[in-house]
Amino acid sequence: MGIYVGFDIGGTKCAAVTGIEKDGELTILGREAFATPADQQEALDRLCALAEKLSGGQEILGIGISSGGPMDADKGELCNPPNLPGWHGISLTDYAQQKLHAPALLENDANACALAEWRWGAGKGSKVMMFLTFGTGLGAGIVIGGRVLRGANGNAGELGHWRLAETGPAGYGKVGAFEGFCSGGGIAQLAQSIGTAWAQRGQKPAWLSDRVTAKDVAQAAFAGDSAAQEVFDTSARFLGKGLALAVDFLNPDCIVIGSVYARSEALFRKELRRALEADALAASLAVCRIVPARLGDSIGDCAALSLAVQAAGAQG
């Protein structure tokens, strides 16, 4: 039995992971990580060496490489991503294939996470699935019939850039953007404005500070703090507005949402449903499940391995 190899490449760390798939389930066999070097050649050499070590001489069936963009996924090249400056001019997939003698596939991390949630997570079995990161920012991946929708030049799914209001928190450098209302950073911005408004009425929230985070506000909301719940109600309303557009346009049967939403779904549920029912086509909404991501902290490893499975399948 062969194994799959995944490379998860980030701005601060890189990881090599191995796994097997049996009866539609993934088992992760091994993982090693290291601080991301400035030189991509050095990173590739170390990742491939770790893959050989972790594989223990077993046949490698496929290699998946997940990274932030921009990238030319068809060529397997990164194009100077902001978190990996200087990473360009080398085909990561060609290099990995030559070193490890297996087919390789590169995809941006949001798309890779979407594929993983479709294959092994909350979106398993869906026909048309959208995955929203809802982490530091708001990225999205779309999987249709088991294939990632990249778009003409790899930019499909950039819904964080949608402007949902003329005023409000900023995301993607745009005031009122979807990401501004629905991301960890956006919730921190909302917390500042809403918390300040409460303070001006003489009810300063205990959590209000220059460094307030989405986690701080979520903890307060779960403890019954009304100002904190207002922050999440506001985010939920705009999440509903954005998802209503996606429901009407894509007609998905499943939308999977990660990170902040997955950890705090109960804080979003009521206002999200209200906004969706107000704005989305009823027939399309009726067939769409909106669920928290299921893969949790292992999603980066699963994402890279999902690409390895895809690469092996394409080769076959």
Side-chain angles (χ1 to χ4, degrees):
M1 178 186 294
I3 65 169
Y4 298 104
V5 166
F7 296 156
D8 183 11
I9 299 175
T12 58
K13 64 177 174 60
C14 294
V17 58
T18 55
I20 58 172
E21 185 184 43
K22 184 177 181 181
D23 298 327
E25 298 295 332
L26 174 69
T27 300
I28 295 175
L29 301 175
R31 181 184 192 275
E32 287 197 32
F34 56 89
T36 303
D39 182 68
Q40 65 174 333
Q41 184 69 62
E42 178 186 347
L44 285 171
D45 287 340
R46 293 184 66 177
L47 285 166
C48 289
L50 284 176
E52 290 176 333
K53 172 187 171 184
L54 292 169
S55 65
Q58 297 182 76
E59 180 188 5
I60 296 174
L61 302 175
I63 307 155
I65 307 172
S66 172
S67 175
M71 63 179 59
D72 185 328
D74 290 329
K75 292 182 179 179
E77 295 181 7
L78 300 182
C79 304
N80 275 310
N83 64 339
L84 293 165
W87 283 51
H88 67 97
I90 296 178
S91 173
L92 278 62
T93 50
D94 286 351
Y95 189 85
Q97 287 172 173
Q98 291 166 10
K99 282 279 189 177
L100 301 174
H101 311 293
L105 179 64
L106 171 70
E107 195 61 77
N108 80 53
D109 45 13
N111 286 348
C113 288
L115 189 62
E117 284 286 350
W118 173 82
R119 185 175 290 278
W120 301 304
K124 189 173 183 177
S126 59
K127 296 178 181 178
V128 180
M129 192 203 87
M130 174 179 281
F131 170 77
L132 276 66
T133 58
F134 209 130
T136 303
L138 185 69
I142 301 165
V143 180
I144 300 176
R147 308 291 296 184
V148 169
L149 178 66
R150 288 180 178 167
N153 68 343
N155 284 327
E158 293 291 358
L159 51 73
H161 196 252
W162 291 352
R163 192 190 299 277
L164 299 183
E166 291 303 313
T167 60
Y172 270 77
K174 181 186 288 186
V175 170
F178 199 170
E179 181 176 285
F181 289 103
C182 299
S183 64
I187 286 176
Q189 292 180 66
L190 283 172
Q192 286 289 351
S193 60
I194 290 172
T196 299
W198 277 68
Q200 290 171 348
R201 297 195 297 267
Q203 298 173 284
K204 182 180 178 180
W207 46 261
L208 181 61
S209 74
D210 293 338
R211 296 183 179 180
V212 65
T213 66
K215 182 178 180 181
D216 297 332
V217 186
Q219 289 174 341
F222 277 121
D225 184 282
S226 297
Q229 184 60 61
E230 183 180 337
V231 173
F232 277 89
D233 285 348
T234 303
S235 180
R237 283 194 291 273
F238 282 94
L239 179 61
K241 285 180 178 292
L243 291 187
L245 295 173
V247 166
D248 289 354
F249 181 68
L250 274 180
N251 192 201
D253 57 343
C254 185
I255 297 174
V256 180
I257 314 177
S259 198
V260 176
Y261 180 88
R263 292 191 294 268
S264 308
E265 184 207 1
L267 300 177
F268 289 92
R269 191 178 297 135
K270 181 179 178 180
E271 290 300 320
L272 171 60
R273 176 52 54 177
R274 184 178 295 172
L276 280 166
E277 291 176 351
D279 289 348
L281 288 169
S284 297
L285 183 59
V287 298
C288 181
R289 296 184 298 122
I290 298 173
V291 293
R294 200 177 79 187
L295 297 177
D297 292 339
S298 67
I299 192 167
D301 296 339
C302 296
L305 289 169
S306 74
L307 298 175
V309 175
Q310 195 90 339
Q315 183 76 3

